[in-house]
Amino acid sequence: MTIFTHFLRSLLLTAIFSFLVPMFLVGGFLLMLPVIGYLPGLQALTEAIASQIIYFLGIFGTDSPLRGLIVISLTFSFVGALFDVYAYYRCQILRIDS
């Protein structure tokens, strides 16, 4: 029973961290763009980059950038959970073979 609880805890933590990483990366990058925009000559460039990122996120979220970011984060979470299940399965197979 403890192996199963360790597996579920690992799976849950992997899913949570895989969900949060894209949120923090995209959010942090969007928060840093206005700060970089204070440098002389970079305001127009940072505004263009921010608008393109918002447009990209809107594609995945039906014109809602926040919904798009959530969809991308959920996809990352699903893939991270699948990878964790695969790593657990592979570990079990290697333990049986040796």
Side-chain angles (χ1 to χ4, degrees):
M1 186 67 179
T2 61
I3 294 174
F4 184 68
T5 58
H6 290 299
F7 169 69
L8 285 180
R9 181 176 41 193
S10 172
L11 187 64
L12 183 66
L13 286 174
T14 301
I16 290 172
F17 285 132
S18 296
F19 180 82
L20 291 177
V21 165
M23 289 275 209
F24 285 135
L25 286 177
V26 172
F29 189 68
L30 284 175
L31 286 175
M32 289 302 293
L33 281 176
V35 173
I36 296 170
Y38 282 119
L39 295 174
L42 292 180
Q43 183 176 9
L45 178 67
T46 57
E47 287 176 1
I49 291 172
S51 67
Q52 289 298 315
I53 291 172
I54 297 297
Y55 175 73
F56 176 78
L57 291 174
I59 289 172
F60 290 102
T62 318
D63 293 332
S64 172
L66 181 61
R67 190 177 296 162
L69 183 59
I70 290 173
V71 166
I72 291 172
S73 295
L74 284 172
T75 306
F76 270 63
S77 178
F78 180 69
V79 170
L82 284 177
F83 181 73
D84 191 49
V85 169
Y86 170 74
Y88 177 77
Y89 168 75
R90 187 74 179 145
C91 179
Q92 294 299 321
I93 292 298
L94 290 176
R95 189 177 300 160
I96 291 171
D97 288 343
S98 59

